[in-house]
Amino acid sequence: MGNGPAAQDPRGAFAAELTRLRRQLPGLTDEALARRAGAVVLPSGSRVAVNARRLGEWTGGHAVPRRFEAVMAVVHAVAQAVGTAAPDRAATAHWQRLWRAARDERGAGDEAGSPRVGHARRPSSPVVRAPVVVGRPPGDAAALRRRDGIAARIDAGLADATVRRVLLTGAGGVGKSQLAAAAFHRGGRRARLLLWVPAGNRASVLQSYARAWRALPRLGAGGDADPHPGDGTPAGPYGTGGDDETQADLFLVWLRSTDVPWLIVLDDVDDLGEMAGLWPEGDAGRSLVTTRRRDAALLRPGVRVVTVGVFTADEAVGYLAERLAPHSPGGTVHHGEAMAALATALGCFPLALSQAAAFVIDTGTDLPSYLGLLGDERESLAGLLPSSSPADEHGGTVTGTLQLALTRAQSLAPPGTAAALLELISLLAPDGIPEAVLLGPAARAWTDGGRHAAGAANGTAPGAAGRHALLALRALHRLSLVTHREPGGTALVEAHSLVQRATRDGLPAARRAGACAAAADALEEVWSAPDCAPPTAALLHRCAESLLSHAGDRLWSDAGMHPLLRRLGPHLAGLGCHEAARATAQALAGRAELHLRPGHRDLLVLRAQLAQAEGDLGNTADAVRLLTRLRGEAVDGLGPLDPDTMSIRLHEARWRMESGLITDALADFVHLAAEARTVLPADDPLVTAAEEHTALCRGLSGDAVGARDAYAALARVLERGPGPLHPSTLRVLCDLSRWIGETGDVRTAVETYRRAVDGLDRVLGPLHHDTLIARHNLAYWHGTAGDLGLAIEQFTTAAQDASRALGAEHPTTLTYRANLAFWRGAAGETDVAVEHLGLLHRTAERVFGPDHPRSLRIRQQRAELLHRAGDHGTAVAGLAAVLTDMERVQGARHPRTLETARMLADWTAERAAAP
């Protein structure tokens, strides 16, 4: 080896040679190289397990392998990877000389193959002194994920001079200890003392601190770093005698006074009371804490919080692919789609993925079969993630870990409240439950189990139930069973789907029925409030869908369905999701027929929602026919002035209007509005809707001034009632804008529309259906006013927003794209616009059919652009064909049919008058 520095430092020479070998594979991680080395069959016929972290210690000069076979496994793995020949006898002898010299040079205090401690380096050595390591972190999990982003945040915290403690917090089983172990091993670059402490209880912490105190002489630096001589006799105020608690106290004092860099990992801190007086402090070092807790006692100056969540989708699929690859049952290959589905079903939860992989390997179950079991709520989570198939380097199961957290949460809240609140949460949407749902009267009644009512009778303060519910919610948050956050708007609660599944598994049938009813009551309370904002309504809808999927028939009885179920279809229809609204109404009506007698009001309401969805999807005639029949049944069974009957009458008249029967519809609306005002308040939504449609029919029948004045009066009523920024008020303002424009005051129409769009954008957001409609109509009036540039800009925004909110092939999106093309044609881009409309027409026919109103309207617009471009013959022929189809599908009196007939008559007269 020569006479250089390496000759005086055999361990450095060995590390340098191994590092040069390692650099031949710069793109391969230590984990991957270790796996390859472990798969190598050596000339002796044996295999040797190689640990990835040990490999890093070998190349860093901190440790020497116990066995020479481990060295050769790495050498062979590198040779195979780069495609070179296997090492011959001379190369093997060379490596053996290096290894033996490094092993013999190892200090007497070293453990074989472990980081060497208490052995001073020669000044000439390029290798840094190895730290003293006390305690044993967990080994690498199989198919370990690096999670570089989180690791970088941990390292940044440990390197920050203002940070004394890094807190890794997250639910049990998300991989906090694995991340801490990796940081622990990296800590040897900066720290001279590395201490791993299992911190589940006080005795374990004291024992670890005492061990660290006894190991301090191995630092070998003298002075402050050597508080007692290596022979065990006391030195100054320090000593090695006494029990664990005495030595732990001495160690804590040493931490505060030493200038030796140290890193202490406190793993799995559970009971903060157990840590009283045991937190490590000192300017020379840092501590890293893993815990599921998020208490205020942990969140203090000098603490950097790093939240550890579940895997990303790519990490989860990568883990499964690597973990399952060597164990495919029967030699079959686990397909990526199945692994992605499993990752999704388990919410990318690391502990669950590890247990599921172990179960699949142990039982030989293929992934589709396992997914089928997982999707069956009759199967318990404990049975599908059993203790008999344990996770890698984790002592618990998913259900056991969650139960431990719940037990701890229960100790932080009034008796029984945390578990009861988690029962409600388990039935709702995992990704966002409005806080008001869980803290309202219905939820409090369930959470407190009726105790608050008894307490009120005994003189207990009425606010106690609310405090109990909040304490329960915060206890669940503090133990990372839920996340309670306020993202600048509605305060939300989130829970992992596996926490919810495990909680539902433990609900007896009677308890589950009660929880479903309480959850439905809680959602209905918030949704029915006059000030329920649209973003909140969207969250409530997701929660209601989740509840419906878990409740089975528990929201139905002979008396009827829970009122919450009435809201689902109209909510979707209001967003423009008419296919989903029809599917929801169809499913609920089918279930109602199983539970309710014919003619029951809930059954009539659901069938009416189904009819409305048919109309919204373009089946106007079917909608009128169905609603006419339902109106007769409702009048006979409920009476003509029953609110549900009047709602059916409203929608029947609406679809008569849409079919072109304007005069008949106007009479129906006038009569309905007058009757509704006798039994309902003036600002009741049904009264308002009847008056809106009355005004609209006046306008459609030719009385634009009457329509404008009626909408203006209605807007004033709503501004005094719900307020100027209420969605109902803003919708009426949009209608008022239209009829202002129809009277000829186009500029005022544009300004009024702009106010409505700004309000809807502010209140509902840019992607709400009402905002989309208003922006589209503003674009139209810009075009009518001659501002073609502004019109095209607004049409472009409306089309893009509709595509984002509803999809590229939704009727609303196709409408906006068609109108954008039309106005581009009107601005002079005729050829491009005609071609674009042709493409859109083919899309509309493919998606909706040739008789859909959108398909017919695109054909009309295309003919109009051809006429503007001078191709009169093609335009007239095309428009005549459209008119024939409109009369057949929509009827001769439909507004769009009448418009097309007038246009065709004008064109025909122009051609006849032409020379």
Side-chain angles (χ1 to χ4, degrees):
M1 296 295 293
N3 297 317
Q8 288 79 40
D9 184 3
R11 180 178 283 194
F14 173 75
E17 190 76 3
L18 196 60
T19 298
R20 281 193 290 271
L21 180 76
R22 177 70 182 86
R23 286 173 181 164
Q24 296 182 43
L25 297 172
L28 200 66
T29 65
D30 283 352
E31 289 82 0
L33 179 55
R35 284 194 301 274
R36 293 192 181 201
V40 167
V41 179
L42 296 169
S44 63
S46 63
R47 286 193 177 102
V48 180
V50 177
N51 182 285
R53 287 180 181 150
R54 289 294 191 218
L55 179 59
E57 291 167 0
W58 301 341
T59 56
H62 302 310
V64 179
R66 293 174 182 270
R67 300 170 58 192
F68 178 62
E69 287 83 355
V71 179
M72 294 313 297
V74 173
V75 174
H76 278 273
V78 172
Q80 291 173 5
V82 300
T84 59
D88 56 17
R89 184 174 298 177
T92 301
H94 169 68
W95 279 106
Q96 190 167 32
R97 283 194 300 272
L98 288 173
W99 170 77
R100 183 173 288 118
R103 184 197 60 183
D104 293 344
E105 191 261 352
R106 196 172 57 221
D110 286 354
E111 298 177 13
S114 298
R116 79 174 171 179
V117 295
H119 190 82
R121 293 260 183 220
R122 296 177 178 86
S124 60
S125 172
V127 182
V128 178
R129 182 199 306 270
V132 170
V133 178
V134 181
R136 180 182 298 171
D140 290 349
L144 180 70
R145 300 295 94 186
R146 291 174 60 91
R147 309 181 81 174
D148 292 332
I150 300 177
R153 291 197 293 275
I154 295 171
D155 289 347
L158 293 174
D160 190 329
T162 66
V163 174
R164 289 290 174 266
R165 183 181 306 153
V166 174
L167 185 71
L168 291 187
T169 181
V174 293
K176 301 184 296 295
S177 296
Q178 289 285 315
L179 288 162
F184 182 79
H185 288 286
R186 294 193 300 273
R189 302 169 190 167
R190 294 184 295 268
R192 293 276 318 283
L193 172 66
L194 297 174
L195 172 60
W196 183 275
V197 182
N201 58 72
R202 189 174 185 85
S204 178
V205 177
L206 291 171
Q207 184 182 54
S208 297
Y209 285 177
R211 286 184 61 204
W213 171 253
R214 293 192 296 269
L216 290 182
R218 291 158 51 192
L219 285 168
D224 180 54
D226 195 4
H228 46 80
D231 61 5
T233 59
Y238 300 95
T240 58
D243 58 13
D244 283 351
E245 188 154 2
T246 300
Q247 293 182 4
D249 289 342
L250 293 171
F251 179 65
L252 289 169
V253 172
W254 179 83
L255 291 176
R256 286 182 175 275
S257 60
T258 188
D259 60 1
V260 175
W262 51 264
L263 173 64
I264 297 176
V265 175
L266 294 161
D267 185 39
D268 195 22
V269 172
D270 183 33
D271 187 340
L272 301 186
E274 295 274 283
M275 288 297 300
L278 297 182
W279 294 106
E281 303 287 351
D283 292 340
R286 301 290 184 271
S287 58
L288 176 60
V289 179
T290 72
T291 181
R292 60 172 68 100
R293 303 291 292 261
R294 295 188 280 201
D295 301 61
L298 290 169
L299 309 177
R300 52 192 296 178
V303 173
R304 174 76 55 83
V305 177
V306 177
T307 301
V308 181
V310 298
F311 282 156
T312 65
D314 287 344
E315 287 171 339
V317 173
Y319 169 81
L320 290 172
E322 191 171 329
R323 182 74 175 94
L324 296 175
H327 305 284
S328 298
T332 60
V333 176
H334 294 296
H335 294 289
E337 296 84 355
M339 289 188 286
L342 179 57
T344 300
L346 295 175
C348 300
F349 197 87
L351 178 57
L353 292 168
S354 182
Q355 276 204 268
F359 183 88
V360 167
I361 293 168
D362 290 344
T363 62
T365 305
D366 60 71
L367 287 189
S369 298
Y370 186 73
L371 281 166
L373 293 172
L374 201 59
D376 186 350
E377 286 255 343
R378 295 171 298 180
E379 297 282 345
S380 73
L381 199 61
L384 296 175
L385 301 172
S387 58
S388 58
S389 292
D392 303 308
E393 297 297 326
H394 193 286
T397 64
V398 169
T399 52
T401 299
L402 297 177
Q403 187 56 52
L404 286 173
L406 179 58
T407 300
R408 183 66 67 192
Q410 297 242 65
S411 70
L412 302 176
T417 56
L421 187 61
L422 192 58
E423 289 169 349
L424 290 187
I425 292 170
S426 74
L427 298 168
L428 304 176
D431 57 348
I433 306 167
E435 175 195 77
V437 172
L438 302 175
L439 300 182
R444 293 200 304 263
W446 174 261
T447 301
D448 236 31
R451 287 186 294 274
H452 69 286
N458 295 327
T460 303
R467 289 195 299 275
H468 288 180
L470 182 59
L471 286 172
L473 177 57
R474 293 305 297 178
L476 295 173
H477 172 85
R478 287 163 68 181
L479 269 296
S480 297
L481 286 164
V482 305
T483 296
H484 180 209
R485 63 187 178 90
E486 296 185 28
T490 304
L492 297 179
V493 176
E494 298 170 344
H496 194 278
S497 58
L498 288 183
V499 175
Q500 295 180 304
R501 172 75 177 268
T503 304
R504 292 194 303 271
D505 282 351
L507 281 174
R511 183 75 178 170
R512 187 169 183 139
C516 288
D521 290 345
L523 292 172
E524 175 64 13
E525 275 179 358
V526 178
W527 210 340
S528 61
D531 60 349
C532 180
T536 301
L539 295 169
L540 295 171
H541 179 263
R542 287 205 297 274
C543 287
E545 283 188 315
S546 176
L547 173 61
L548 190 60
S549 70
H550 300 309
D553 291 335
R554 296 176 178 88
L555 300 181
W556 299 83
S557 69
D558 293 342
M561 66 182 181
H562 194 283
L564 174 71
L565 302 184
R566 287 186 172 218
R567 299 187 180 277
L568 305 185
H571 173 78
L572 292 168
L575 297 175
C577 303
H578 302 304
E579 288 279 6
R582 177 171 65 180
T584 297
Q586 214 161 23
L588 290 174
R591 189 169 289 186
E593 289 171 353
L594 298 176
H595 292 276
L596 307 177
R597 58 174 174 76
H600 190 284
R601 71 167 63 247
D602 288 341
L603 182 56
L604 293 174
V605 166
L606 292 172
R607 289 167 60 196
Q609 291 180 5
L610 182 57
Q612 294 162 46
E614 291 291 347
D616 287 326
L617 289 168
N619 305 321
T620 308
D622 287 344
V624 173
R625 177 177 52 80
L626 292 169
L627 287 164
T628 300
R629 186 169 72 239
L630 287 170
R631 186 244 308 157
E633 294 180 32
V635 169
D636 292 342
L638 307 177
L641 297 184
D642 182 89
D644 287 331
T645 303
M646 289 192 289
S647 177
I648 292 172
R649 291 169 59 192
L650 174 76
H651 291 291
E652 179 193 10
R654 171 194 164 203
W655 289 109
R656 285 187 190 280
M657 177 191 70
E658 293 289 347
S659 67
L661 302 174
I662 307 299
T663 303
D664 294 345
L666 176 58
D668 290 342
F669 284 129
V670 169
H671 185 55
L672 177 61
E675 290 189 332
R677 281 194 293 269
T678 66
V679 294
L680 297 172
D683 60 353
D684 185 90
L686 197 148
V687 175
T688 301
E691 292 181 340
E692 283 184 57
H693 285 88
T694 299
L696 177 59
C697 282
R698 292 192 191 282
L700 294 176
S701 63
D703 184 6
V705 173
R708 179 199 64 193
D709 294 345
Y711 276 118
L714 184 56
R716 288 192 292 272
V717 170
L718 293 175
E719 285 173 352
R720 290 194 301 269
L725 288 179
H726 191 277
S728 298
T729 308
L730 294 169
R731 283 192 288 267
V732 169
L733 191 63
C734 289
D735 292 327
L736 172 60
S737 305
R738 172 186 176 180
W739 292 105
I740 290 173
E742 295 289 353
T743 62
D745 191 355
V746 177
R747 291 296 174 188
T748 303
V750 168
E751 290 305 315
T752 310
Y753 253 124
R754 184 178 289 114
R755 281 198 294 124
V757 169
D758 290 345
L760 289 168
D761 199 336
R762 173 181 167 187
V763 174
L764 303 181
L767 302 185
H768 191 278
H769 195 58
D770 289 342
T771 311
L772 297 175
I773 293 172
R775 190 179 301 282
H776 170 269
N777 292 344
L778 171 61
Y780 168 80
W781 285 105
H782 271 307
T784 303
D787 301 327
L788 295 185
L790 286 173
I792 290 171
E793 178 184 322
Q794 293 286 351
F795 274 125
T796 300
T797 301
Q800 291 172 343
D801 286 349
S803 183
R804 288 168 55 200
L806 304 171
E809 296 185 344
H810 189 277
T812 298
T813 307
L814 290 176
T815 297
Y816 295 178
R817 291 171 63 195
N819 288 341
L820 171 60
F822 178 82
W823 283 96
R824 279 181 171 158
E829 302 176 38
T830 309
D831 292 342
V832 174
V834 167
E835 181 182 358
H836 194 191
L837 285 172
L839 295 173
L840 287 171
H841 176 243
R842 287 194 288 275
T843 300
E845 285 201 334
R846 173 177 56 81
V847 177
F848 308 114
D851 292 340
H852 191 276
R854 184 67 264 155
S855 301
L856 298 174
R857 173 63 174 157
I858 292 174
R859 289 168 61 193
Q860 176 194 0
Q861 290 175 306
R862 188 170 183 273
E864 188 174 348
L865 285 182
L866 287 170
H867 189 268
R868 290 190 182 203
D871 189 354
H872 294 168
T874 305
V876 169
L879 195 64
V882 173
L883 178 60
T884 300
D885 289 339
M886 283 182 169
E887 290 173 338
R888 172 177 57 82
V889 175
Q890 299 175 165
R893 299 173 63 185
H894 190 278
R896 192 66 74 188
T897 306
L898 293 173
E899 175 190 305
T900 304
R902 287 193 296 269
M903 189 181 298
L904 181 61
D906 291 344
W907 292 359
T908 303
E910 289 174 6
R911 293 190 71 190

